[in-house]
Amino acid sequence: MVTDAVVTDADLALESILDRYGRWPTHLLQMLIAAQELDGWLPPARITRLATALGLPRARVEGVAGFYSFLYLRPVGRYRVLFSDNIIERMQGSQALMAALAARLWVEPGKVSEDGLVSVDTTSCIGMGDQGPAALVNGQPLTRLTRERVEAIGDLIRCGVPVADWPEEFFRVDDGVCRRDGLLGLAMAPGAALTAALARGREGWLAELEASRLRGRGGAGFTTAVKWLACRDAPDPHKVVVCNADEGEPGTFKDRVLLASRADLVFEGMTLAAWATGAREGFLYLRGEYRYLLPHLEAVLAGRRAAGLLGADIAGQAGFDFDIEIHLGAGAYVCGEESALLESLEGKRGTPRIRPPFPVTHGYLGRPTVVNNVETLAKTCLVALQGGAAFARTGTAQSTGTKLLSISGDCPRPGVYEFPFGVTLRQVLEACGAERTQAVQVGGASGVTLAPYEFDRRIAFEDVPTAGAFMIFDDQRDMFEVARNFVHFFAHESCGFCTPCRVGTALLKGYMDKLADGHGAYRDLAEIEWLDRLLKNASHCGLGSSAPNPVIDTLVKFRPAYERRLGRADFEPAFDLDGALARARQMTGRDDAGAHLSNAPEAQP
Amino acid sequence: MSASHGRPKKGSLPPGGTAHSAKGAQTSATFLLDGQPVPFDEGQTILEAARAAGHYIPHLCWHPDFPPHGSCKLCIVKVAGRHVSSCAMPAKDGWEVESNTPEMNGERRALLQMLFVEGNHFCPSCEKSGNCQLQALAYDLEMTTPRFNHFFPDRPVDATHPDVLLDFNRCIFCELCVRASRDQDGKGVFALTNRGIHKHLVVNAESGCLGDTDFSKDDAAAHICPVGVILEKRVGFAVPIGQRKYDARPIRVVAMEEDKP
């Protein structure tokens, strides 16, 4: 059908995108992201051309494009404003701001304006919790939104001012580092850690890493040296190092700061991993929300290549060849799960794999692959510089070193804090000035909700493990709404692969909404608890099994927040008879008392 | 394409030292399935070994001709306190596996209820009634109510192909058609798009119509759907309801006979 089509500029542009990525199907996601730049969305004919050029079934390309939130298979506005919808931004007033912007632009949230100018919608946490309310406009982060700023943005959009010409201040992203320790206080010349590790030799370097007892900072806490050794010892000689910069956990933003201001540490950590494992290939998987950091990161990479710290014979070591390529994500929290990330790196839908086999033996394209968190890799520089024993002197017995915390919510000084492992919640709350704290959500939506009686517990793998999110809720907050926000998040981000997570998160969302709407009954709490258990037990990956965590915790620790929403009945149907009449009321233009079921006159016999 | 792990056809418990894979070595590895000893070969999954020893574990997305998929979760079993997909989990010597227990069947029933409410399943009017694995499992696991609220999704049917009708209302996302078309037919007619509860099947055509693909009713993918999505036109109700595959005997009996040599 497209054989005789005229070759347009867009087609030529697509050809150059194909060439830029070597026409490798592994780069399908990267090509889709680039191809979307042409029209702001991906028209059907473009999907077809891409599939034909790559020799892939069109359905597969459509399937990949359809998986990611930031790829659009239908037209969107020339301006796309996406408000970050984490509970923290909601507490900062994001919903009212979004409504104000939508009203100013005469557009319904979630829809495109009739002139195709603008669409306004929500998106999952964009990693700006310390300087929200925040939004993305055509992929660029807008921070510190206020009523005035939103009005100004509305005017800029109505006047068609290109985003590049908007006031710079709107896009200001601060590091917001509030407490420094070993890592954030480090001033390292690029290559210094590498030189130290090379001087020790491969074995010596791995011995230092083992002595450091460094554990993964992504949350799971797997011992880094064990992972690297397993990868090194896997039979396939083609090893790969991957940096997981898909920092999607709601309330986390410490990797953003490392990437923005300490990218050399991250890339050097990857190179240290390559030295240990023998990898020649490296990838940094950058979440789509952090795309604004891409030019900076590419510049750092270019600088390192020029300095001989990447490429062939790195740091003068003959045969030590390694380079790093940055891959972009496109709005999918599940890609933070390492096997889903590898699928995405291969240009596929981000569906978590069956394990075993594990990535250390069968990872990217089946090759032995080390996947490490941004912070973990940066920390390996500290180990190389100070030695493992010195690194292990900080922290606790099972959790050596420090931890970066992303602190947001009800406190006067949100930002990034570096504490030695073992710090108590109370100490952290004091440091950021939080008062009248009702609860802390540690580890993001998938983490744990801690109540005041637990504030002497410690941030450490042996007590409260965390990838770094630390969201604070004072005594005015409704913990049911916190849990409901997280449940909505998981339902939105479920990849849909396994039955329990695909349907279970949607059902859980339904129950939470039923309670929020005032139709809850005691029976619903039992159903929620049963769903929680099933999700935990039966899910394919960590997303599904941790999705019920906020509900489980708040049901135990803040049960009154649920119970005050329950009616007196043991059971109340989810089907809302009066709600079902809403459409009829809208169509007839009536909303008087008689148009509502509870007020309707008794039916005549 | 065959399964990645060999499927030894064992009738009953082997006497020690029967033929084994090239790796040899192990001769008497067994695990306990609900208290019954089940022998297995290195690399064999719990489900495969159980089947070979004559024990049925419910499943929907697993198929003997394909590598394990692990998405439907019906084959979930409990091992050392953990719930795992028996289709994907390699068996280990000495494991105690719980499968046919009230707890596991309760979870399976809930998973079936989830599959029923997320789609539009009207068994009495469905051509596949009696031949449908979802329906058969629901009977076998004594699912008597949908329990949860129905989603009533809007899923238009695709009748554009001359020989085959697609009724997406019944899709359970086992991806067997996706895998069969890709791996056996070499066509790639089907794929999944979107995600979460909005995940759905698409076909390999810009129009989105099966009639514009190279799909044929003779494809392996045309005959693999465990439910009633892919239906051949003009042969409806050739066998009367009441005389179909799972009408007389439960799926746990039929499924074990089918795969015997």
Side-chain angles (χ1 to χ4, degrees), chain A residues 206 209-210 214 222-232 360:
Chain A
L206 273 163
L209 193 70
E210 276 187 289
L214 174 68
F222 198 80
T223 306
T224 307
V226 172
K227 198 183 260 189
W228 289 13
L229 280 166
C231 176
R232 185 198 65 175
V360 281

Side-chain angles (χ1 to χ4, degrees), chain A residues 45 48 57-59 62-63 66-67 69 331 349 354 492-500 502 527 530-531 537-538 574, chain B residues 68-73 76 83 107 110-111 114-115 118 147 149 151 173 191-196 199 202 204 206:
Chain A
T48 306
R58 186 191 185 282
E62 184 183 355
F67 186 86
S69 289
R349 294 165 59 81
I354 291 173
H492 176 67
E493 295 294 348
S494 168
C495 80
F497 174 74
C498 72
T499 310
R502 181 180 68 246
E527 289 291 273
W530 155 246
L531 267 177
N537 288 341
Chain B
H69 194 244
S71 68
C72 75
K73 289 286 169 183
I76 192 168
H83 295 57
E107 294 194 357
L111 292 168
M114 287 179 167
L115 290 170
E118 76 163 329
R147 177 173 189 161
N149 279 325
F151 286 75
F173 312 108
L192 289 168
T193 191
N194 219 305
R195 70 172 189 229
K199 187 170 85 164
V202 285
N204 194 30
E206 191 174 306

Side-chain angles (χ1 to χ4, degrees), chain B residues 104-175:
Chain B
M104 300 322 296
N105 286 335
E107 294 194 357
R108 289 179 185 134
R109 206 174 298 122
L111 292 168
L112 286 170
Q113 288 164 321
M114 287 179 167
L115 290 170
F116 269 93
V117 300
E118 76 163 329
N120 298 309
H121 298 274
F122 305 107
C123 296
S125 64
C126 179
E127 206 290 317
K128 207 65 180 283
S129 182
N131 290 325
C132 169
Q133 292 182 25
L134 180 70
Q135 180 196 40
L137 268 180
Y139 277 125
D140 201 30
L141 289 165
E142 298 172 330
M143 183 189 125
T144 51
T145 71
R147 177 173 189 161
F148 306 114
N149 279 325
H150 283 277
F151 286 75
F152 296 123
D154 184 17
R155 298 186 188 165
V157 301
D158 179 349
T160 56
H161 193 278
D163 302 320
V164 175
L165 169 76
L166 295 181
D167 189 339
F168 297 113
N169 288 294
R170 300 154 184 168
C171 185
I172 56 167
F173 312 108
C174 65
E175 293 185 54

Side-chain angles (χ1 to χ4, degrees), chain A residues 74-102:
Chain A
R74 264 180 290 213
V76 288
R78 291 196 293 286
Y79 294 89
R80 294 177 306 285
V81 185
L82 297 172
F83 281 81
S84 183
D85 196 31
N86 188 23
I87 184 69
I88 299 298
E89 279 95 350
R90 286 195 172 201
M91 283 157 36
Q92 293 161 344
S94 64
Q95 287 168 298
L97 292 174
M98 181 170 93
L101 182 67

Side-chain angles (χ1 to χ4, degrees), chain A residues 193-249:
Chain A
L194 205 49
T195 310
L198 288 170
R200 289 192 176 98
R202 276 205 167 88
E203 296 301 321
W205 162 226
L206 273 163
E208 290 299 331
L209 193 70
E210 276 187 289
S212 76
R213 305 203 306 280
L214 174 68
R215 294 172 66 172
R217 264 46 175 174
F222 198 80
T223 306
T224 307
V226 172
K227 198 183 260 189
W228 289 13
L229 280 166
C231 176
R232 185 198 65 175
D233 295 340
D236 188 332
H238 302 97
K239 326 280 184 189
V240 183
V241 172
V242 175
C243 173
N244 183 347
D246 194 50
E247 186 178 41
E249 192 63 51

